[in-house]
Amino acid sequence: MDSNKKFLNGTLNTIVLALLRDNGRMYGYEICQKTKEATNNQINLTEGAIYPTLHRLEKEGLLFSTKEKVNGRVRKYYHVNQSSIKEVNSQINLLAQFVGNLRTLLKPSL
Amino acid sequence: MDSNKKFLNGTLNTIVLALLRDNGRMYGYEICQKTKEATNNQINLTEGAIYPTLHRLEKEGLLFSTKEKVNGRVRKYYHVNQSSIKEVNSQINLLAQFVGNLRTLLKPSL
DNA sequence: CACCTATACCTAATTCTGTTATGTATCTTT
DNA sequence: AAAGATACATAACAGAATTAGGTATAGGTG
């Protein structure tokens, strides 16, 4: 389990954008948990990776955040900035394309 | 074209192993060209990346190399070390698994 | 009550790996 | 003769994730 660590490099940014675009608002901790579940513990996003990534994407203007108090704890929800939706879509398309290329290259192994 | 740059991180190692396992011996320059062709210029491996990678994999014992003079120029062919075939297969399987996970996560975008 | 676990955020030091930029050398084409 | 393709190589740099730490609240258990 959790063996996809090294492969994550470079793709994490775009994975986060895709999750937020397709699932609506999410908060950092939730992204880690949902991803873990969805991939049967094979992709285990670390918090040391996810939070800097979210901050970076917000700084770049692709995301914005809203704070909400839930059960006494503050949650920071991230949303895709609709004014950046074209850029977000294009980044996700590039990742989809890359996945396609990987499949092409690994075809004999799939 | 050549827009998959940032995604490559972490996967290059294993891509090289897969190409060598499935296509027999190849040399560095050839790996760059063949990959470019196979992906319609979308994955453009740089020589600054491929040569250190090949050296690293050889140092780790997963590959070995043989030199050959072709048309007056020396080519360095790399081969999968058969005593490491299990390890090589397992690394390739992990990458294949990761690709599957990416597809799961990006499903709404594919 | 004290302790542990889960939830939820954050950052810093380090490591790894690919990019960019060079350099060398031979062969082929113009 | 010059330019471009082939073919190897390395060094400085940048970016991103890992590892490891820290803060804080809520809920359950011995």
Side-chain angles (χ1 to χ4, degrees), chain B residues 51-98:
Chain B
Y51 291 116
T53 294
L54 288 168
H55 299 162
R56 200 186 307 136
L57 291 171
E58 186 172 24
K59 207 171 186 178
E60 288 172 12
L62 300 180
L63 302 180
F64 70 96
S65 62
T66 54
K67 285 183 187 175
E68 221 168 290
K69 199 159 197 171
V70 181
N71 300 327
R73 280 192 231 86
V74 173
R75 269 187 204 161
K76 206 166 159 190
Y77 280 101
Y78 286 87
H79 322 245
V80 169
N81 194 329
Q82 282 310 306
S83 67
S84 301
I85 189 67
K86 272 189 186 174
E87 172 62 14
V88 169
N89 285 337
S90 118
Q91 287 200 28
I92 296 171
N93 287 340
L94 285 180
L95 179 53
Q97 195 181 70
F98 177 65

Side-chain angles (χ1 to χ4, degrees), chain A residues 4-98:
Chain A
N4 295 18
K5 261 176 200 168
K6 51 176 176 266
F7 297 132
L8 217 51
N9 226 302
T11 59
L12 177 55
N13 244 291
T14 316
I15 289 175
V16 168
L17 291 177
L19 290 176
L20 287 172
R21 189 196 62 177
D22 298 330
N23 302 324
R25 67 176 200 177
M26 297 178 82
Y27 54 100
Y29 191 78
E30 185 187 12
I31 294 176
C32 295
Q33 303 304 315
K34 292 277 175 68
T35 302
K36 208 178 192 176
E37 270 179 62
T39 64
N40 295 313
N41 286 320
Q42 286 164 27
I43 292 188
N44 190 11
L45 303 185
T46 61
E47 300 182 42
I50 197 72
Y51 290 116
T53 293
L54 288 168
H55 299 162
R56 200 186 307 135
L57 292 172
E58 186 172 24
K59 208 171 183 179
E60 288 172 11
L62 301 180
L63 301 180
F64 69 96
S65 62
T66 54
K67 285 184 188 176
E68 222 169 289
K69 200 160 196 170
V70 181
N71 300 325
R73 283 192 229 86
V74 173
R75 269 187 203 161
K76 205 166 159 191
Y77 280 102
Y78 286 87
H79 323 245
V80 169
N81 194 330
Q82 282 311 307
S83 67
S84 301
I85 189 67
K86 273 190 186 173
E87 171 63 14
V88 169
N89 285 337
S90 116
Q91 287 200 27
I92 296 171
N93 287 340
L94 285 180
L95 178 54
Q97 196 180 70
F98 178 65

